Amino acid sequence: MSIFCFCVFSGSFVSLFEVGHLITSGNFSKVYEGTHAFSDKVKVALKCIPKRRVDRYLDISGHSKPVLAEVALMMRVGEAPSCPNILELHQWLEDESSFTLILEYPEPCRTLEDYILFSGPISEAQARLFMLQVLQAVKHCHERGVYHGDIRSRNVLVTLHSLELKLFDFRCARLISSKGFESSQYHGSEAYTPPEVLGQSTFHAAAADVWALAVLLFEIIHRYLPFESFDAIQHGYVRMDPTLSTACHDLIFHCLSRNPAHRLTLQQLEEHRWMKA
């Protein structure tokens, strides 16, 4: 395997891993394939995050100084007993200019977004299998007091041979507050934005996640997103495939209520007859 781009990693890091091809690149990080040099060539994902002045940090026990929020919250959700539907953080390193996260890398895998685009039509039964797994990941985050903040198909991995799903990318994650969050603090995908973020001063983690899960289910089944603009999110009509079961229609309809108080709760979503079918 070729080794390159050492400039983004510290010297101690290079001695542990062979850095392979670029998996994905975003505005705030780059993710490379990595191979552990001393552990039977175990594959990992290496996420390199340049330090920025706007980075958020959290105090966590066992550390003498605050830790990058993304790292701290991944450590929080990763404490035993962990959730198999959340990508595991193996280790993290910090130098003067960046953080490097050493992450679980299931192979072969692709994002759920790519799976939806290239796999062909997805049945309700398979969609249910996917939704049950993402829901477990979201519930686990909430049990640990963590709001992921950016649930979407691009942030879910599908392990192709087992169809096991794993939620990842905690860049937007925050500690859950009973008071909710200011709408200006929402940094998730525009297509998944709940209407209260657009029309109210505050929003709450649970209601926002139920909205995002319904958008995700719609996308899985229809292979496109239900809303194309902020105006559609606030005022548009959701057109669902008429061949879907009545239970599926009912679940999506009640999770996409524009009034967050009228949406299903996470518990009600899990207990809905479509999820139990």
Side-chain angles (χ1 to χ4, degrees):
M1 178 179 293
S2 61
I3 303 177
F4 65 99
C5 292
F6 282 173
C7 59
V8 299
F9 300 113
S10 65
S12 60
F13 179 85
V14 171
S15 65
L16 294 175
F17 292 92
E18 295 177 348
V19 183
H21 71 274
L22 180 68
I23 298 173
T24 183
S25 178
N27 294 329
F28 307 105
S29 64
K30 296 181 185 297
V31 182
Y32 298 87
E33 182 183 281
T35 306
H36 200 293
F38 307 107
S39 297
D40 299 324
K41 300 295 183 180
V42 172
K43 290 285 185 68
V44 293
L46 309 169
K47 183 174 184 178
C48 182
I49 308 170
K51 288 184 175 178
R52 303 180 302 151
R53 290 184 178 180
V54 296
D55 287 337
R56 293 179 293 115
Y57 293 81
L58 294 173
D59 292 315
I60 58 174
S61 61
H63 292 265
S64 59
K65 64 177 184 178
V67 173
L68 183 71
E70 179 174 352
V71 172
L73 296 175
M74 285 201 75
M75 293 173 65
R76 188 174 181 130
V77 300
E79 292 176 356
S82 60
C83 175
N85 300 119
I86 296 176
L87 199 70
E88 183 180 353
L89 173 66
H90 292 316
Q91 188 180 355
W92 63 280
L93 302 168
E94 177 183 2
D95 61 26
E96 292 182 358
S97 61
S98 67
F99 296 90
T100 302
L101 279 56
I102 303 157
L103 301 161
E104 175 186 7
Y105 185 43
E107 282 196 304
C109 69
R110 60 173 48 174
T111 66
L112 180 55
E113 180 182 53
D114 286 344
Y115 187 90
I116 293 167
L117 288 174
F118 302 115
S119 67
I122 296 175
S123 68
E124 284 192 42
Q126 187 174 346
R128 183 181 300 109
L129 172 67
F130 285 169
M131 289 304 298
L132 285 168
Q133 295 181 71
V134 180
L135 178 59
Q136 290 309 307
V138 172
K139 285 183 59 184
H140 181 84
C141 289
H142 281 248
E143 288 166 3
R144 299 300 169 87
V146 174
Y147 168 58
H148 180 273
D150 195 15
I151 295 170
R152 53 173 163 161
S153 57
R154 187 177 298 180
N155 288 339
V156 177
L157 284 180
V158 182
T159 307
L160 297 181
H161 64 266
S162 65
L163 296 184
E164 182 178 46
L165 269 55
K166 292 182 180 290
L167 180 66
F168 69 99
D169 195 349
F170 282 72
R171 181 182 63 83
C172 298
R174 294 180 177 272
L175 290 171
I176 292 175
S177 167
S178 60
K179 297 179 181 179
F181 303 101
E182 294 180 7
S183 293
S184 60
Q185 294 178 309
Y186 179 83
H187 296 294
S189 168
E190 291 184 0
Y192 285 73
T193 304
E196 59 267 30
V197 166
L198 303 174
Q200 301 177 25
S201 60
T202 61
F203 71 98
H204 290 267
D209 278 344
V210 168
W211 176 276
L213 288 167
V215 173
L216 181 63
L217 174 57
F218 184 101
E219 182 183 3
I220 290 171
I221 290 177
H222 294 83
R223 304 177 72 194
Y224 59 86
L225 289 159
F227 308 108
E228 297 182 350
S229 67
F230 286 156
D231 183 67
I233 289 172
Q234 291 182 291
H235 308 293
Y237 177 74
V238 180
R239 294 175 174 83
M240 285 183 267
D241 182 346
T243 67
L244 295 178
S245 67
T246 302
C248 188
H249 274 264
D250 183 79
L251 184 148
I252 294 174
F253 176 80
H254 284 98
C255 290
L256 290 183
S257 171
R258 291 190 169 89
N259 184 340
H262 295 165
R263 277 175 221 152
L264 300 182
T265 65
L266 287 170
Q267 187 67 29
Q268 289 170 336
L269 174 55
E270 184 177 37
E271 295 173 353
H272 191 275
R273 66 183 188 277
W274 184 81
M275 299 291 278
K276 295 282 190 180

